[in-house]
Amino acid sequence: MTNDKVKSLPPISEMMREVGLEPKKQFGQNFLFDLNLTGRIARNVPNIESIPVVEIGPGPGGLTRALLLAGAPRVIAIEKDKTTKPILDEIVSASDGRLSVIYEDALNVDFGALGVKEYAICSNLPYNVGTELFTQWLVRVAKGAPIKSMTLMFQKEVAQRIVAKCGDAQYGRLAVLSSLIADSKILFDVPNTAFVPRPKVQSAVVSIVPSQDKISKLVDVNKIEKITAKLFGQRRKMVRGIISNIDWGKYGLTGTERAEELKPEIFARLAQDLV
């Protein structure tokens, strides 16, 4: 069985030593070796046994192996760092055709050309591009991309920004966009001691499941991005001081509110009317 081959692979740390692989700061790499944690992340991918999974930044393949062991029928890994190839090649060989690796920058990959009708995304995202990638995926989902779920590890601060509610200190553009497109929740925290090298910050795994009901009610997502950028860009100012000559009462507001006091639905209505 494929899983027996994957299970029989040497420990990640041993494979890294053999090829002289070290985490690279310029790629935001912090490798996760804890098999209990990688297994837990993989098992939290909804319907993992029946849907292809796209993984960003597999590094030496710790989470990749966990996804295969959890039963993913196909894993497509996207890795910018080609020095990981000797290790990933061994996992590809053990996967019996279930794993393929694309050596490109995920920011430049055409996700529409992956050759799958629908897919889940699961990743221990590189710290330096995690928020940018996630925002891109949300926009793509809003425009019809067949991303069925995202199970992602972020810095804990970013995770809190994704699930924040109106009025929370962390509430901002990311929370508004996430709330209007998907249902999001923090699954569990991950201590910095689980990583090599150990980052200064704590992390958390977030589940983001796009909601077709929410997406069907959505105005142009680009307009929402523009209005959130405009209002949160001056978040200490009252909204009437940022946008003038409109009837705030139409939205149940006085105009003296600040961006953090506006619910996601209000941003959607403002985007529809003003952008």
Side-chain angles (χ1 to χ4, degrees):
M1 289 179 62
T2 304
N3 280 358
D4 289 337
K5 292 182 181 179
V6 175
K7 283 180 182 177
S8 67
L9 288 167
I12 300 167
S13 55
E14 183 179 317
M15 296 174 80
M16 287 180 64
R17 280 196 300 271
E18 285 182 3
V19 300
L21 180 64
E22 296 283 346
K24 297 177 182 61
K25 189 174 182 179
Q26 69 265 34
F27 292 149
Q29 292 175 334
N30 297 89
F31 297 148
L32 191 60
F33 290 168
D34 189 319
L35 297 180
N36 291 325
L37 273 172
T38 54
R40 188 179 179 190
I41 295 166
R43 290 190 298 273
N44 270 287
V45 176
N47 305 311
I48 189 168
E49 294 183 353
S50 59
I51 189 167
V53 180
V54 175
E55 181 191 6
I56 311 301
L63 181 56
T64 315
R65 288 158 68 159
L67 292 167
L68 292 168
L69 291 171
R74 184 178 176 191
V75 177
I76 303 168
I78 301 171
E79 177 57 67
K80 184 177 181 179
D81 181 10
K82 292 182 180 179
T83 65
T84 62
K85 190 175 188 302
I87 296 176
L88 294 176
D89 280 349
E90 287 195 51
I91 305 174
V92 169
S93 296
S95 75
D96 286 346
R98 290 164 60 206
L99 172 63
S100 56
V101 185
I102 299 170
Y103 291 97
E104 288 187 41
D105 186 335
L107 291 169
N108 302 325
V109 168
D110 179 3
F111 282 75
L114 293 177
V116 288
K117 291 183 179 179
E118 59 182 26
Y119 55 94
I121 296 177
C122 183
S123 179
N124 167 20
L125 287 171
Y127 283 167
N128 54 354
V129 294
T131 304
E132 185 177 357
L133 279 168
F134 177 57
T135 303
Q136 283 189 11
W137 293 331
L138 282 176
V139 171
R140 286 177 180 145
V141 165
K143 294 181 177 180
I147 302 172
K148 296 302 177 181
S149 68
M150 292 177 264
T151 308
L152 306 172
M153 189 186 304
F154 294 96
Q155 295 179 48
K156 188 171 181 178
E157 177 192 351
V158 176
Q160 291 170 332
R161 284 166 50 203
I162 291 169
V163 303
K165 305 299 183 186
C166 179
D168 291 348
Q170 300 91 349
Y171 184 68
R173 297 176 65 189
L174 209 53
V176 171
L177 203 58
S178 301
S179 177
L180 290 172
I181 294 169
D183 298 316
S184 306
K185 63 180 179 180
I186 292 178
L187 296 173
F188 54 89
D189 293 342
V190 179
N192 61 355
T193 52
F195 297 92
V196 176
R198 184 188 299 187
K200 294 179 180 178
V201 297
Q202 304 296 321
S203 298
V205 177
V206 188
S207 169
I208 305 103
V209 179
S211 165
Q212 290 307 312
D213 181 55
K214 290 182 177 182
I215 293 169
S216 68
K217 299 172 185 175
L218 201 62
V219 297
D220 186 333
V221 68
N222 293 326
K223 291 183 177 182
I224 292 172
E225 283 202 293
K226 287 179 182 177
I227 198 71
T228 55
K230 189 178 184 72
L231 293 176
F232 280 110
Q234 302 179 71
R235 62 186 303 149
R236 292 188 178 183
K237 292 184 68 172
M238 296 180 187
V239 290
R240 70 184 183 191
I242 304 170
I243 302 174
S244 56
N245 300 319
I246 69 166
D247 178 11
W248 289 103
K250 176 183 175 181
Y251 306 97
L253 304 171
T254 64
T256 59
E257 297 86 357
R258 291 171 175 79
E260 63 200 34
E261 300 175 77
L262 274 55
K263 293 182 178 180
E265 296 75 18
I266 299 296
F267 281 99
R269 289 180 61 194
L270 289 169
Q272 189 170 24
D273 294 349
L274 303 178
V275 180

